[in-house]
Amino acid sequence: MHKNWYRGKWRVSKEVAPIVVEMLNSLTKRGLEIKSEGEIYEFFSYHPVEHWEGEKNIIEHQIILFAALFPDAVINCEWEKIPDKNWQKTWYRYFKPQRITSRLVILPPWEKYQAKPNEITIRIKPGMAFGTGTHETTQLCLKKMLALYPKEKPQSLLDVGTGTGILAILGAKMGIKDIMAIDTDPVAIEAAKENVKLNNIRNIQILLRSLEKIEKSFDWVVANLETSLILSRANCLKSCTKKTLILSGILKGEVEVIKSVLDLPCREINSLKEWVCMLF
């Protein structure tokens, strides 16, 4: 049990908040305490005193890189030493059921919830990897999958960059039988396996593997990735897709370059704040 902690008090412009949050979650695996969202995101990160020096050095190096890439953005952090926190109570306070649509609710593992008829619930342990349902790109994917499934009834799904496994889990709960979830981050693989177990799912194959090594194709391919990763893997994404490709993690200003590089008919574009989900 850690006795003392350092807390980072963050103020970050909304355009860079997702990458800063992802960096912190990947580094600490402890989750964040979100205070407010808007033009400026405010949140806390927590660091055991015995790990703080090393984590602080990595964080400050990353901040320098982010500041160079986004010179007009606000990326500020103030550090303070605090006494031990009761982390279980922190999770209970800040992670409550989140309704994505009238049919889908995302829950933390400890939350008691009585599902309504025809309602899908997914339990996700927060703080280990990207994709708890709070970020716009994840919500866009979830909504598109829910809307599209009754029309297409896919039999197979590939979730590229699975993170917490939330998209693969939704696929299984909708009725898709053959599901593969891949990621190149061991932390994400660990998180996805834990969340699949939490949801009592047994038909998802979770692999620490790059997309380039996938040799079969799937009715649906879903990829919630940064645009640079989508562009660099465009040919692989196309070759793995039998029928439908769902892409998210894309900013509105990046739509045309995605269309150009993929060179596929774009069937639909949905947006949430500055993010879009593209259906091919």
Side-chain angles (χ1 to χ4, degrees), residues 21-40:
V21 167
E22 186 170 1
M23 178 270 291
L24 290 168
N25 276 334
S26 296
L27 175 64
T28 70
K29 288 84 175 178
R30 296 180 206 107
L32 303 172
E33 184 178 328
I34 306 297
K35 302 300 288 185
S36 65
E37 298 181 4
E39 291 301 314
I40 298 293

Side-chain angles (χ1 to χ4, degrees), residues 10 22 63 67-68 82 96 102 108 112 120 136 149 152 169 181-182 187 203 224 226 235 238 240:
W10 292 84
E22 186 170 1
I63 289 174
I82 60 173
K96 296 297 182 183
S102 60
K112 292 182 180 179
I120 296 174
E136 290 87 350
Y149 180 81
E152 299 196 355
I169 292 167
I182 63 172
V187 172
N203 64 312
N224 183 13
E226 294 178 11
N235 288 334
K238 290 195 290 185
C240 287

Side-chain angles (χ1 to χ4, degrees), residues 234-235 237-239 241 243-245 247 258-267 278-280:
N235 288 334
L237 288 167
K238 290 195 290 185
S239 65
T241 304
K243 297 179 180 178
T244 295
L245 175 61
L247 300 178
I258 293 287
K259 286 181 178 179
S260 174
V261 172
L262 277 177
D263 193 27
L264 291 173
C266 182
R267 294 157 53 186
M278 303 179 69
L279 177 66
F280 295 90

Side-chain angles (χ1 to χ4, degrees), residues 6-273:
Y6 278 91
R7 178 167 68 181
K9 182 179 180 181
W10 292 84
R11 296 184 73 255
V12 181
S13 298
K14 71 174 184 179
E15 64 266 29
V16 295
I19 61 172
V20 175
V21 167
E22 186 170 1
M23 178 270 291
L24 290 168
N25 276 334
S26 296
L27 175 64
T28 70
K29 288 84 175 178
R30 296 180 206 107
L32 303 172
E33 184 178 328
I34 306 297
K35 302 300 288 185
S36 65
E37 298 181 4
E39 291 301 314
I40 298 293
Y41 279 52
E42 296 184 352
F43 52 87
F44 295 124
S45 61
Y46 293 91
H47 312 265
V49 67
E50 60 267 34
H51 301 317
W52 179 69
E53 204 64 53
E55 291 183 359
K56 179 172 175 282
N57 289 338
I58 294 170
I59 288 167
E60 291 183 343
H61 177 70
Q62 289 295 319
I63 289 174
I64 291 171
L65 293 178
F66 294 155
L69 290 169
F70 304 95
D72 297 326
V74 174
I75 311 175
N76 292 334
C77 181
E78 298 176 2
W79 301 101
E80 62 177 339
K81 194 173 183 180
I82 60 173
D84 182 34
K85 290 181 66 70
N86 186 324
W87 289 106
Q88 189 177 44
K89 288 184 178 179
T90 298
W91 290 129
Y92 273 53
R93 179 180 174 188
Y94 288 100
F95 287 87
K96 296 297 182 183
Q98 181 176 8
R99 182 167 294 280
I100 305 299
T101 72
S102 60
R103 286 195 61 219
L104 176 62
V105 179
I106 309 300
L107 306 163
W110 54 80
E111 190 73 31
K112 292 182 180 179
Y113 184 86
Q114 183 62 49
K116 299 172 185 175
N118 299 318
E119 196 171 56
I120 296 174
T121 60
I122 298 178
R123 294 191 179 272
I124 296 292
K125 183 177 180 181
M128 293 181 67
F130 181 79
T132 58
T134 59
H135 195 271
E136 290 87 350
T137 61
T138 309
Q139 291 187 33
L140 284 165
C141 282
L142 293 167
K143 289 176 180 178
K144 181 47 55 187
M145 291 171 68
L146 279 166
L148 203 59
Y149 180 81
K151 304 172 188 175
E152 299 196 355
K153 295 287 180 65
Q155 297 301 303
S156 58
L157 167 68
L158 174 65
D159 179 11
V160 182
T162 193
T164 60
I166 190 170
L167 302 180
I169 292 167
L170 175 61
K173 293 210 169 192
M174 289 191 301
I176 303 175
K177 301 302 183 186
D178 176 16
I179 303 176
M180 181 184 291
I182 63 172
D183 209 298
T184 57
D185 181 357
V187 172
I189 294 298
E190 178 186 348
K193 287 181 177 179
E194 185 168 356
N195 288 321
V196 164
K197 187 176 180 181
L198 272 175
N199 288 276
N200 298 312
I201 303 295
R202 291 179 172 79
N203 64 312
I204 299 176
Q205 187 180 15
I206 303 170
L207 300 174
L208 181 66
R209 189 168 298 178
S210 65
L211 179 62
E212 291 79 6
K213 294 185 178 179
I214 302 302
E215 297 179 350
K216 60 183 287 189
S217 58
F218 299 78
D219 292 340
W220 278 12
V221 174
V222 181
N224 183 13
L225 301 170
E226 294 178 11
T227 293
S228 60
L229 296 177
I230 293 173
L231 294 175
S232 64
R233 292 156 175 77
N235 288 334
C236 293
L237 288 167
K238 290 195 290 185
S239 65
C240 287
T241 304
K242 286 183 185 177
K243 297 179 180 178
T244 295
L245 175 61
I246 302 172
L247 300 178
S248 193
I250 303 161
L251 291 166
K252 289 180 178 177
E254 299 167 335
V255 166
E256 292 307 317
V257 70
I258 293 287
K259 286 181 178 179
S260 174
V261 172
L262 277 177
D263 193 27
L264 291 173
C266 182
R267 294 157 53 186
E268 192 175 323
I269 298 176
N270 300 104
S271 64
L272 185 57
K273 296 184 180 179

